[in-house]
Amino acid sequence: MTTIPAPEQLTDVRPRKISRKSTGGDAVFEHSARAVGASVLVITGGVGLFLAWQAYPTLKRYGWSFFTESQWQPDQDVIGIAAVLVGTLSVALVAMAIAFPLSVLMALYISEYAPPRFRSSLVALIDLMAAVPSIVYGLWGFFLIMPYAAELALWLQKYFGWIPIFDVANSDPDAAV
């Protein structure tokens, strides 16, 4: 049985000094977390430097027209990635336009409107969806959604005349994509 010392038995009643310095296991964790964070920055910076080093000869040869030219004809010494950049930005914007509202609405539904007995199941379902690699969703979209999306794009092109901005001069509305 433990006993609490009486006040007359306490000899040192000064308040203990509070320090912000980590000690023991906290210090080990802090230093290892800083080391891991620094190594991530160093590795990412190294990848960026390597890519810049490898891109230098191309940029030296073609200049900034490499980013503005949409043709890729290495036989004629004309290369550029403007069409690819526009396509990448278009796909990213469409994905964000779909994913952001869906994710916010799903989070709002789960946290505010879902019955309490379903909340844990819905959270587990979202966690399982997050665990699936994105390439699986990409392949699913390519094989199941793409045929219908292509038909929709052709219909929009035929009846509304929507033409990609980067290829206005070379487009033929009656040509198949």
Short mmCIF file of all heavy atoms in Angstrom, two decimals, residues 127-165:
data_model
loop_
_atom_site.label_atom_id
_atom_site.label_comp_id
_atom_site.label_asym_id
_atom_site.label_seq_id
_atom_site.Cartn_x
_atom_site.Cartn_y
_atom_site.Cartn_z
N ASP A 127 -12.27 3.98 -47.06
CA ASP A 127 -10.88 3.57 -46.81
C ASP A 127 -10.46 2.45 -47.75
O ASP A 127 -9.32 2.43 -48.24
CB ASP A 127 -10.70 3.14 -45.36
CG ASP A 127 -10.73 4.30 -44.39
OD1 ASP A 127 -10.54 5.45 -44.86
OD2 ASP A 127 -10.94 4.07 -43.19
N LEU A 128 -11.35 1.51 -48.01
CA LEU A 128 -11.02 0.43 -48.96
C LEU A 128 -10.84 0.97 -50.37
O LEU A 128 -9.96 0.52 -51.11
CB LEU A 128 -12.11 -0.64 -48.94
CG LEU A 128 -12.10 -1.58 -47.74
CD1 LEU A 128 -13.32 -2.48 -47.76
CD2 LEU A 128 -10.83 -2.42 -47.74
N MET A 129 -11.68 1.93 -50.75
CA MET A 129 -11.52 2.53 -52.08
C MET A 129 -10.20 3.28 -52.18
O MET A 129 -9.56 3.28 -53.23
CB MET A 129 -12.69 3.48 -52.36
CG MET A 129 -14.00 2.77 -52.59
SD MET A 129 -15.41 3.89 -52.71
CE MET A 129 -14.97 4.87 -54.10
N ALA A 130 -9.77 3.90 -51.09
CA ALA A 130 -8.50 4.63 -51.10
C ALA A 130 -7.32 3.66 -51.18
O ALA A 130 -6.24 4.04 -51.63
CB ALA A 130 -8.39 5.49 -49.86
N ALA A 131 -7.52 2.42 -50.74
CA ALA A 131 -6.43 1.44 -50.75
C ALA A 131 -6.20 0.84 -52.14
O ALA A 131 -5.14 0.27 -52.39
CB ALA A 131 -6.71 0.33 -49.75
N VAL A 132 -7.18 0.98 -53.03
CA VAL A 132 -7.03 0.43 -54.38
C VAL A 132 -6.11 1.35 -55.18
O VAL A 132 -6.31 2.57 -55.19
CB VAL A 132 -8.41 0.31 -55.07
CG1 VAL A 132 -8.27 -0.13 -56.51
CG2 VAL A 132 -9.29 -0.66 -54.31
N PRO A 133 -5.11 0.80 -55.86
CA PRO A 133 -4.21 1.65 -56.65
C PRO A 133 -4.98 2.39 -57.75
O PRO A 133 -5.94 1.87 -58.33
CB PRO A 133 -3.23 0.66 -57.27
CG PRO A 133 -3.30 -0.54 -56.40
CD PRO A 133 -4.69 -0.60 -55.86
N SER A 134 -4.55 3.59 -58.03
CA SER A 134 -5.26 4.42 -59.00
C SER A 134 -5.23 3.83 -60.40
O SER A 134 -6.13 4.10 -61.20
CB SER A 134 -4.67 5.83 -59.01
OG SER A 134 -3.30 5.78 -59.35
N ILE A 135 -4.24 3.02 -60.71
CA ILE A 135 -4.18 2.41 -62.04
C ILE A 135 -5.38 1.49 -62.27
O ILE A 135 -5.87 1.36 -63.38
CB ILE A 135 -2.84 1.66 -62.26
CG1 ILE A 135 -2.69 1.18 -63.70
CG2 ILE A 135 -2.72 0.48 -61.33
CD1 ILE A 135 -2.48 2.29 -64.68
N VAL A 136 -5.87 0.87 -61.20
CA VAL A 136 -7.05 0.00 -61.32
C VAL A 136 -8.26 0.84 -61.73
O VAL A 136 -9.03 0.46 -62.62
CB VAL A 136 -7.30 -0.75 -60.00
CG1 VAL A 136 -8.61 -1.52 -60.05
CG2 VAL A 136 -6.14 -1.68 -59.71
N TYR A 137 -8.43 2.00 -61.09
CA TYR A 137 -9.53 2.88 -61.47
C TYR A 137 -9.33 3.41 -62.89
O TYR A 137 -10.30 3.58 -63.64
CB TYR A 137 -9.66 4.05 -60.50
CG TYR A 137 -10.11 3.62 -59.13
CD1 TYR A 137 -9.33 3.85 -58.01
CD2 TYR A 137 -11.32 2.98 -58.95
CE1 TYR A 137 -9.74 3.47 -56.75
CE2 TYR A 137 -11.74 2.58 -57.69
CZ TYR A 137 -10.95 2.82 -56.60
OH TYR A 137 -11.35 2.44 -55.37
N GLY A 138 -8.09 3.67 -63.27
CA GLY A 138 -7.81 4.13 -64.63
C GLY A 138 -8.16 3.09 -65.67
O GLY A 138 -8.77 3.39 -66.69
N LEU A 139 -7.79 1.84 -65.42
CA LEU A 139 -8.14 0.77 -66.36
C LEU A 139 -9.65 0.54 -66.41
O LEU A 139 -10.22 0.30 -67.47
CB LEU A 139 -7.42 -0.52 -65.96
CG LEU A 139 -5.91 -0.51 -66.18
CD1 LEU A 139 -5.28 -1.76 -65.59
CD2 LEU A 139 -5.59 -0.41 -67.67
N TRP A 140 -10.29 0.63 -65.25
CA TRP A 140 -11.74 0.49 -65.20
C TRP A 140 -12.39 1.59 -66.04
O TRP A 140 -13.30 1.33 -66.84
CB TRP A 140 -12.19 0.57 -63.74
CG TRP A 140 -13.66 0.58 -63.56
CD1 TRP A 140 -14.53 -0.45 -63.77
CD2 TRP A 140 -14.45 1.69 -63.11
NE1 TRP A 140 -15.80 -0.05 -63.48
CE2 TRP A 140 -15.79 1.27 -63.07
CE3 TRP A 140 -14.14 2.99 -62.74
CZ2 TRP A 140 -16.83 2.09 -62.68
CZ3 TRP A 140 -15.17 3.82 -62.34
CH2 TRP A 140 -16.49 3.37 -62.32
N GLY A 141 -11.93 2.81 -65.89
CA GLY A 141 -12.47 3.90 -66.69
C GLY A 141 -12.18 3.74 -68.16
O GLY A 141 -13.04 4.04 -69.01
N PHE A 142 -10.99 3.26 -68.48
CA PHE A 142 -10.61 3.10 -69.89
C PHE A 142 -11.49 2.05 -70.58
O PHE A 142 -11.96 2.27 -71.69
CB PHE A 142 -9.13 2.70 -69.99
CG PHE A 142 -8.67 2.51 -71.40
CD1 PHE A 142 -8.43 3.60 -72.22
CD2 PHE A 142 -8.46 1.24 -71.90
CE1 PHE A 142 -8.01 3.43 -73.52
CE2 PHE A 142 -8.03 1.06 -73.20
CZ PHE A 142 -7.80 2.16 -74.01
N PHE A 143 -11.70 0.92 -69.92
CA PHE A 143 -12.44 -0.16 -70.57
C PHE A 143 -13.95 -0.04 -70.43
O PHE A 143 -14.68 -0.52 -71.30
CB PHE A 143 -11.98 -1.51 -70.02
CG PHE A 143 -10.61 -1.89 -70.49
CD1 PHE A 143 -9.56 -2.02 -69.60
CD2 PHE A 143 -10.34 -2.08 -71.84
CE1 PHE A 143 -8.30 -2.35 -70.03
CE2 PHE A 143 -9.07 -2.41 -72.27
CZ PHE A 143 -8.05 -2.55 -71.37
N LEU A 144 -14.45 0.58 -69.36
CA LEU A 144 -15.89 0.62 -69.16
C LEU A 144 -16.52 1.97 -69.47
O LEU A 144 -17.65 2.03 -69.95
CB LEU A 144 -16.23 0.23 -67.71
CG LEU A 144 -15.86 -1.19 -67.32
CD1 LEU A 144 -16.18 -1.45 -65.87
CD2 LEU A 144 -16.59 -2.19 -68.19
N ILE A 145 -15.82 3.06 -69.21
CA ILE A 145 -16.41 4.39 -69.41
C ILE A 145 -15.98 5.01 -70.73
O ILE A 145 -16.76 5.71 -71.38
CB ILE A 145 -16.04 5.31 -68.23
CG1 ILE A 145 -16.67 4.75 -66.95
CG2 ILE A 145 -16.49 6.73 -68.47
CD1 ILE A 145 -16.30 5.51 -65.71
N MET A 146 -14.76 4.75 -71.15
CA MET A 146 -14.21 5.40 -72.34
C MET A 146 -15.06 5.19 -73.60
O MET A 146 -15.24 6.15 -74.37
CB MET A 146 -12.77 4.94 -72.56
CG MET A 146 -12.06 5.66 -73.65
SD MET A 146 -11.99 7.41 -73.25
CE MET A 146 -11.43 8.03 -74.78
N PRO A 147 -15.58 3.99 -73.89
CA PRO A 147 -16.39 3.85 -75.11
C PRO A 147 -17.59 4.82 -75.12
O PRO A 147 -17.90 5.41 -76.15
CB PRO A 147 -16.85 2.40 -75.09
CG PRO A 147 -15.83 1.70 -74.26
CD PRO A 147 -15.38 2.69 -73.24
N TYR A 148 -18.24 4.98 -73.97
CA TYR A 148 -19.39 5.89 -73.91
C TYR A 148 -18.95 7.34 -73.94
O TYR A 148 -19.63 8.19 -74.51
CB TYR A 148 -20.21 5.60 -72.64
CG TYR A 148 -20.68 4.17 -72.60
CD1 TYR A 148 -20.13 3.27 -71.70
CD2 TYR A 148 -21.65 3.71 -73.48
CE1 TYR A 148 -20.54 1.96 -71.67
CE2 TYR A 148 -22.08 2.39 -73.44
CZ TYR A 148 -21.52 1.52 -72.54
OH TYR A 148 -21.93 0.22 -72.51
N ALA A 149 -17.83 7.64 -73.32
CA ALA A 149 -17.32 9.01 -73.33
C ALA A 149 -16.90 9.41 -74.74
O ALA A 149 -17.09 10.56 -75.14
CB ALA A 149 -16.15 9.15 -72.36
N ALA A 150 -16.35 8.47 -75.51
CA ALA A 150 -15.96 8.76 -76.89
C ALA A 150 -17.20 9.06 -77.73
O ALA A 150 -17.20 9.97 -78.55
CB ALA A 150 -15.17 7.60 -77.47
N GLU A 151 -18.26 8.28 -77.51
CA GLU A 151 -19.50 8.54 -78.24
C GLU A 151 -20.07 9.91 -77.86
O GLU A 151 -20.54 10.65 -78.73
CB GLU A 151 -20.52 7.45 -77.94
CG GLU A 151 -20.18 6.11 -78.54
CD GLU A 151 -21.16 5.02 -78.12
OE1 GLU A 151 -22.22 5.36 -77.56
OE2 GLU A 151 -20.87 3.85 -78.37
N LEU A 152 -20.01 10.26 -76.60
CA LEU A 152 -20.48 11.57 -76.15
C LEU A 152 -19.63 12.69 -76.78
O LEU A 152 -20.18 13.70 -77.23
CB LEU A 152 -20.42 11.67 -74.63
CG LEU A 152 -20.78 13.03 -74.03
CD1 LEU A 152 -22.23 13.37 -74.31
CD2 LEU A 152 -20.48 13.06 -72.55
N ALA A 153 -18.33 12.50 -76.83
CA ALA A 153 -17.45 13.51 -77.43
C ALA A 153 -17.76 13.69 -78.91
O ALA A 153 -17.79 14.82 -79.42
CB ALA A 153 -15.99 13.12 -77.22
N LEU A 154 -17.98 12.59 -79.61
CA LEU A 154 -18.32 12.69 -81.04
C LEU A 154 -19.67 13.37 -81.23
O LEU A 154 -19.85 14.18 -82.15
CB LEU A 154 -18.33 11.31 -81.68
CG LEU A 154 -16.95 10.67 -81.87
CD1 LEU A 154 -17.09 9.25 -82.35
CD2 LEU A 154 -16.13 11.48 -82.85
N TRP A 155 -20.64 13.08 -80.37
CA TRP A 155 -21.95 13.71 -80.46
C TRP A 155 -21.84 15.21 -80.21
O TRP A 155 -22.44 16.01 -80.93
CB TRP A 155 -22.89 13.05 -79.46
CG TRP A 155 -24.29 13.57 -79.53
CD1 TRP A 155 -25.27 13.22 -80.41
CD2 TRP A 155 -24.84 14.58 -78.69
NE1 TRP A 155 -26.40 13.93 -80.16
CE2 TRP A 155 -26.18 14.79 -79.10
CE3 TRP A 155 -24.36 15.32 -77.62
CZ2 TRP A 155 -27.02 15.69 -78.50
CZ3 TRP A 155 -25.20 16.23 -77.01
CH2 TRP A 155 -26.51 16.41 -77.45
N LEU A 156 -21.07 15.60 -79.17
CA LEU A 156 -20.87 17.02 -78.89
C LEU A 156 -20.18 17.72 -80.06
O LEU A 156 -20.53 18.84 -80.43
CB LEU A 156 -20.05 17.20 -77.62
CG LEU A 156 -20.75 16.88 -76.31
CD1 LEU A 156 -19.75 16.92 -75.16
CD2 LEU A 156 -21.89 17.83 -76.06
N GLN A 157 -19.21 17.04 -80.66
CA GLN A 157 -18.48 17.61 -81.80
C GLN A 157 -19.42 17.79 -82.99
O GLN A 157 -19.40 18.83 -83.65
CB GLN A 157 -17.32 16.69 -82.18
CG GLN A 157 -16.63 17.06 -83.46
CD GLN A 157 -15.89 18.37 -83.37
OE1 GLN A 157 -15.39 18.70 -82.32
NE2 GLN A 157 -15.85 19.11 -84.44
N LYS A 158 -20.27 16.80 -83.23
CA LYS A 158 -21.14 16.84 -84.40
C LYS A 158 -22.23 17.90 -84.26
O LYS A 158 -22.49 18.64 -85.21
CB LYS A 158 -21.76 15.47 -84.61
CG LYS A 158 -22.61 15.37 -85.84
CD LYS A 158 -23.11 13.95 -86.04
CE LYS A 158 -23.97 13.85 -87.29
NZ LYS A 158 -24.47 12.49 -87.47
N TYR A 159 -22.88 17.98 -83.10
CA TYR A 159 -24.03 18.85 -82.96
C TYR A 159 -23.74 20.23 -82.38
O TYR A 159 -24.52 21.15 -82.56
CB TYR A 159 -25.11 18.15 -82.13
CG TYR A 159 -25.70 16.97 -82.87
CD1 TYR A 159 -25.37 15.68 -82.50
CD2 TYR A 159 -26.55 17.17 -83.95
CE1 TYR A 159 -25.89 14.60 -83.19
CE2 TYR A 159 -27.07 16.10 -84.65
CZ TYR A 159 -26.74 14.81 -84.26
OH TYR A 159 -27.25 13.75 -84.94
N PHE A 160 -22.64 20.36 -81.66
CA PHE A 160 -22.32 21.65 -81.06
C PHE A 160 -21.03 22.25 -81.59
O PHE A 160 -20.72 23.39 -81.30
CB PHE A 160 -22.22 21.52 -79.53
CG PHE A 160 -23.54 21.20 -78.89
CD1 PHE A 160 -23.80 19.94 -78.41
CD2 PHE A 160 -24.52 22.17 -78.78
CE1 PHE A 160 -25.01 19.64 -77.83
CE2 PHE A 160 -25.73 21.89 -78.20
CZ PHE A 160 -25.99 20.62 -77.73
N GLY A 161 -20.25 21.48 -82.34
CA GLY A 161 -19.04 21.98 -82.96
C GLY A 161 -17.93 22.32 -81.98
O GLY A 161 -17.15 23.23 -82.22
N TRP A 162 -17.88 21.61 -80.85
CA TRP A 162 -16.82 21.85 -79.89
C TRP A 162 -15.52 21.33 -80.46
O TRP A 162 -15.40 20.17 -80.80
CB TRP A 162 -17.11 21.18 -78.57
CG TRP A 162 -18.20 21.86 -77.82
CD1 TRP A 162 -18.96 22.91 -78.24
CD2 TRP A 162 -18.65 21.53 -76.51
NE1 TRP A 162 -19.87 23.25 -77.29
CE2 TRP A 162 -19.70 22.42 -76.21
CE3 TRP A 162 -18.29 20.59 -75.59
CZ2 TRP A 162 -20.37 22.39 -75.02
CZ3 TRP A 162 -18.97 20.55 -74.39
CH2 TRP A 162 -19.99 21.44 -74.10
N ILE A 163 -14.54 22.21 -80.58
CA ILE A 163 -13.25 21.85 -81.15
C ILE A 163 -12.19 22.14 -80.10
O ILE A 163 -12.23 23.19 -79.48
CB ILE A 163 -12.97 22.66 -82.43
CG1 ILE A 163 -14.06 22.37 -83.47
CG2 ILE A 163 -11.61 22.32 -83.01
CD1 ILE A 163 -14.01 23.27 -84.67
N PRO A 164 -11.24 21.23 -79.91
CA PRO A 164 -10.17 21.52 -78.95
C PRO A 164 -9.45 22.82 -79.30
O PRO A 164 -9.18 23.10 -80.46
CB PRO A 164 -9.23 20.32 -79.06
CG PRO A 164 -10.08 19.23 -79.63
CD PRO A 164 -11.11 19.91 -80.49
N ILE A 165 -9.13 23.60 -78.30
CA ILE A 165 -8.53 24.92 -78.49
C ILE A 165 -7.19 24.84 -79.21
O ILE A 165 -6.88 25.65 -80.07
CB ILE A 165 -8.35 25.61 -77.12
CG1 ILE A 165 -9.70 25.83 -76.50
CG2 ILE A 165 -7.58 26.90 -77.25
CD1 ILE A 165 -9.64 26.27 -75.06
#
